Amino acid sequence: MRKLLLTGLLVLLCASCQAATPRLESDSLAVDVDDRTGGWSLLDKHSEVRWPAVGMARPGTAPW
């Protein structure tokens, strides 16, 4: 019982330590998406320009 409890706690700790920002990328673009908030950013790899320039855009609220 003790080993089962310890294993369960370790699984919960490891799950909370995983990165919360998956990345989709190609040769020219990279999109980072925060899986908790839905915030995202787009990077043009050739020009190294990122949008938005600071922070992450939120779904439906990104400035033009």
Side-chain angles (χ1 to χ4, degrees), residues 43-54:
L43 172 69
D44 178 335
K45 291 180 170 182
H46 297 295
S47 66
E48 297 184 5
V49 172
R50 184 178 176 275
W51 191 85
V54 177

Side-chain angles (χ1 to χ4, degrees), residues 5-37:
L5 181 60
L6 182 58
T7 302
L9 288 173
L10 287 174
V11 168
L12 288 175
L13 287 173
C14 289
S16 67
C17 294
Q18 291 180 351
T21 309
R23 176 173 268 206
L24 304 170
E25 72 183 294
S26 69
D27 291 338
S28 38
L29 297 173
V31 179
D32 292 315
V33 181
D34 186 315
D35 64 354
R36 292 181 200 165
T37 66

